[in-house]
Amino acid sequence: KKSGVSGVMADMKPKSVHHAKEWSDVVENLYRFQQAGYRDEVEYKQVKQVETVECWPETGFVKKLQRRDNTFYYYNKQRECEENEVHNVKIYVY
């Protein structure tokens, strides 16, 4: 069994998953990754081979993501995950 700390990000798989119950900054960013077709920041960085994700300095929310088909999603500074979408957001545990 490999530990995720030893630079083995390439094959990190989530151990479990649950749905968000209430909105938070973390849920907001997960919502953005999942809209763009990724589980979360971990998977995005694996697939796109990037070190960092562009975020809004004011809010810390993800600003721009590249989908798997190479088109870009651009996000606002403000919250985009509506209250009725919160329960659709999956939180992965590694």
Side-chain angles (χ1 to χ4, degrees):
K1 202 167 172 160
K2 296 182 189 117
S3 81
V5 193
S6 60
V8 199
M9 257 183 61
D11 52 356
M12 269 180 72
K13 296 272 182 277
K15 290 188 198 67
S16 66
V17 61
H18 59 274
H19 286 267
K21 303 259 187 298
E22 56 190 32
W23 185 89
S24 70
D25 291 3
V26 171
V27 169
E28 177 66 38
N29 277 335
L30 284 169
Y31 172 77
R32 295 172 184 218
F33 282 109
Q34 289 167 21
Q35 269 204 320
Y38 303 93
R39 278 193 310 258
D40 51 26
E41 187 172 352
V42 173
E43 187 184 38
Y44 182 77
K45 287 178 172 178
Q46 287 171 5
V47 173
K48 288 297 169 192
Q49 300 290 301
V50 293
E51 290 290 311
T52 56
V53 176
E54 213 176 309
C55 293
W56 290 103
E58 300 89 341
T59 58
F61 295 150
V62 172
K63 184 176 188 177
K64 174 178 90 175
L65 291 173
Q66 191 174 14
R67 291 188 348 188
R68 292 171 193 267
D69 63 6
N70 293 328
T71 57
F72 283 93
Y73 272 2
Y74 295 91
Y75 298 100
N76 293 322
K77 288 187 185 100
Q78 304 89 350
R79 171 178 176 171
E80 290 199 8
C81 180
E82 300 290 335
E83 205 52 53
N84 63 347
E85 293 284 328
V86 169
H87 68 279
N88 293 326
V89 176
K90 292 178 184 160
I91 301 171
Y92 293 90
V93 180
Y94 291 89

